[in-house]
Amino acid sequence: KHSLNRLDERKFSKEAIESILNKEVDVAIYPSTRDEDIDLYFGKCGGKHILVVYNRQTSTIVTVRNMTKKEKEIFNEVMRYEKK
């Protein structure tokens, strides 16, 4: 419920989030350092840099938000490196 509210509030489309989780767009996935069940999906879809917090154990989206400026910089650097 929380994540669905966040999608609406933050103007993210369900399709964009699915594209990130299904790795249909550029995505970098990192395990959370705080919770071993959580994966952080950093993705770019439709010009937006989006972070999806995903619980692997329950197969649920915890929350969705825009990446911070620092996260965007790291994501862009990782994507540049991986495309070489």
Side-chain angles (χ1 to χ4, degrees), residues 9-81:
E9 284 173 20
R10 297 174 183 169
K11 305 288 184 248
F12 297 119
S13 73
K14 190 173 178 230
E15 293 76 22
I17 304 313
E18 287 173 352
S19 292
I20 291 169
L21 291 176
N22 293 329
K23 301 186 236 32
E24 296 166 355
V25 293
D26 288 339
V27 177
I29 305 168
Y30 296 98
S32 170
T33 55
R34 295 185 190 155
D35 185 333
E36 63 185 30
D37 295 336
I38 300 293
D39 283 331
L40 307 174
Y41 283 70
F42 295 87
K44 186 175 180 184
C45 188
K48 288 185 172 184
H49 287 80
I50 302 169
L51 170 66
V52 180
V53 180
Y54 184 77
N55 186 313
R56 224 176 316 103
Q57 288 298 109
T58 61
S59 298
T60 55
I61 297 169
V62 177
T63 195
V64 176
R65 66 170 172 77
N66 287 305
M67 286 186 215
T68 64
K69 185 178 178 187
K70 185 74 177 157
E71 289 167 344
K72 273 187 213 174
E73 290 170 5
I74 294 168
F75 174 81
N76 288 332
E77 189 62 36
V78 167
M79 288 301 121
R80 256 194 307 278
Y81 179 77

